[in-house]
Amino acid sequence: MNWSQAWIIIANLPPFFRKSKMRYRFYRVHKYVCFELSEFERAAAKTDFLDINSCEALKEKLIGLTHLLKHHGEYEDAYIHDLLRQKNCDIQFSIEKEHKEHEKALDSLAQELEHIISVQHNANKVHLGNEFYLSYRLFYSEMLKHLYEEEKILLPKLQALYSDEELAKLQTKTYQKMTPDDMLGMLNVLFPHANPEDMHFFTSEMKTAEPEKFKIVWEKLLESDKKLIEQHSCRAD
C-alpha cells in the first residue's frame, strides 16, 4: 500500500467515538504514566545506594518523574477538571488536593535521596536506601489508586454532563496548538504503552482536529503502527 492509498483509508475514518459504542474517554495517557511510575520503582529497587553514581542516576530519574507528574496534574486541573467546575461540580476537589499532596511527597522523596547521598557511613546508607524504596513504593501505590479514581469517578461524571462531541473539543484545542512534530512526538511516547484501540483513537482524533497536520504525522509513523491502526479500524467496522 502506498502513501496515497493509506491516506485515503485514514481520511475516510469517522471520529472514533462515532464508530464505537464506547463513550469518549480522557485519561488514556495514564497507561504511560503508570509505566513511568513502575520504571522508577524498578530502578529504586535495584539501586546500589553505596555507589554515588547510582544514587545520582536515581536522582535524575526522580527529577524527570516529578516533572512528568507535576505537568500531568496541572493539565488535568486546568483543563479536564475545569469542565466539572463549569457545571458547578465539586467532585474533583479531593483529586486536585491529592495532586498537591503528590508534589509534597515527591519533594520529600527528593530530600530523602539527598540525605542518603550526603551520609558517610555505609551501613546507614543501606538502611536509608531501603527506607527510601519503601517510601516510594507507598507513594506508587497511592498514585495507582489516584489514577483509578480519576477514571472510575471523574470520567463517568464528565460523560454524564457532556456529549462525546463536547468532550472531544477540549483535545481539539490542544492539537490546534501543536505542530506535526509535536503530535508525532506525543504518539511516539504513548504508542509503546497503548493497544490498537488507543492508537486508533489518538490518530483519528488528530486527523479530525487537524487534517493537514495529520497528513504529515501519518507519513512519518512507523509502518508497524499504521498496520495496527488500520487493522483495528477494519475490525471495528
Side-chain angles (χ1 to χ4, degrees):
M1 179 181 296
N2 60 35
W3 157 242
S4 297
Q5 291 170 321
W7 175 246
I8 289 172
I9 290 175
I10 200 69
N12 288 324
L13 293 178
F16 175 85
F17 50 85
R18 293 178 186 169
K19 296 184 60 175
S20 172
K21 294 180 181 179
M22 294 178 62
R23 291 296 312 275
Y24 187 95
R25 282 195 290 124
F26 291 122
Y27 305 118
R28 289 174 186 262
V29 71
H30 282 178
K31 291 184 178 181
Y32 168 63
V33 173
C34 286
F35 168 78
E36 292 293 350
L37 289 165
S38 174
E39 284 292 284
F40 188 85
E41 188 275 334
R42 291 180 61 207
K46 296 168 64 176
T47 294
D48 177 3
F49 289 97
L50 298 181
D51 179 63
I52 186 65
N53 291 328
S54 295
C55 290
E56 290 290 349
L58 189 65
K59 177 181 173 181
E60 288 303 309
K61 287 183 172 67
L62 183 59
I63 291 171
L65 181 64
T66 299
H67 180 81
L68 168 67
L69 295 179
K70 176 179 173 60
H71 287 278
H72 174 69
E74 287 176 347
Y75 177 84
E76 288 181 338
D77 292 346
Y79 298 100
I80 298 178
H81 301 166
D82 187 56
L83 294 174
L84 293 167
R85 281 189 287 274
Q86 291 177 30
K87 298 291 187 177
N88 296 316
C89 286
D90 59 8
I91 192 174
Q92 76 281 4
F93 287 171
S94 62
I95 293 292
E96 293 179 340
K97 181 181 177 182
E98 287 177 4
H99 286 161
K100 299 300 182 184
E101 292 171 353
H102 295 159
E103 290 183 26
K104 293 179 182 178
L106 287 163
D107 285 343
S108 178
L109 286 166
Q111 291 172 19
E112 283 188 52
L113 194 50
E114 285 289 358
H115 181 55
I116 293 169
I117 293 171
S118 68
V119 166
Q120 298 300 314
H121 197 280
N122 283 353
N124 287 345
K125 281 183 180 289
V126 171
H127 171 71
L128 292 172
N130 188 62
E131 290 296 306
F132 172 85
Y133 170 69
L134 294 177
S135 295
Y136 177 76
R137 202 169 68 187
L138 177 60
F139 172 76
Y140 180 24
S141 69
E142 292 170 347
M143 275 298 307
L144 291 178
K145 181 174 180 290
H146 171 85
L147 298 175
Y148 175 84
E149 289 176 348
E150 285 182 332
E151 296 185 48
K152 294 295 287 184
I153 298 174
L154 298 193
L155 180 58
K157 187 64 175 178
L158 285 161
Q159 291 169 334
L161 292 171
Y162 291 92
S163 69
D164 290 329
E165 289 80 3
E166 288 172 326
L167 294 175
K169 286 180 182 178
L170 176 62
Q171 197 60 36
T172 295
K173 294 177 182 177
T174 300
Y175 291 136
Q176 288 171 346
K177 299 175 183 178
M178 297 172 72
T179 67
D181 284 343
D182 291 334
M183 292 178 176
L184 184 64
M186 170 186 158
L187 296 181
N188 286 338
V189 168
L190 297 180
F191 274 12
H193 318 288
N195 61 29
E197 184 246 333
D198 295 320
M199 296 165 73
H200 176 265
F201 174 87
F202 287 125
T203 51
S204 180
E205 190 173 47
M206 285 181 176
K207 174 257 172 183
T208 301
E210 289 290 323
E212 292 304 313
K213 292 179 185 177
F214 184 67
K215 288 180 183 179
I216 300 170
V217 174
W218 182 256
E219 186 174 10
K220 294 181 179 180
L221 277 179
L222 293 175
E223 288 300 323
S224 57
D225 289 340
K226 292 180 188 178
K227 185 176 180 180
L228 286 173
I229 294 164
E230 290 165 354
Q231 287 176 342
H232 177 80
S233 177
C234 292
R235 292 198 307 265
D237 284 336

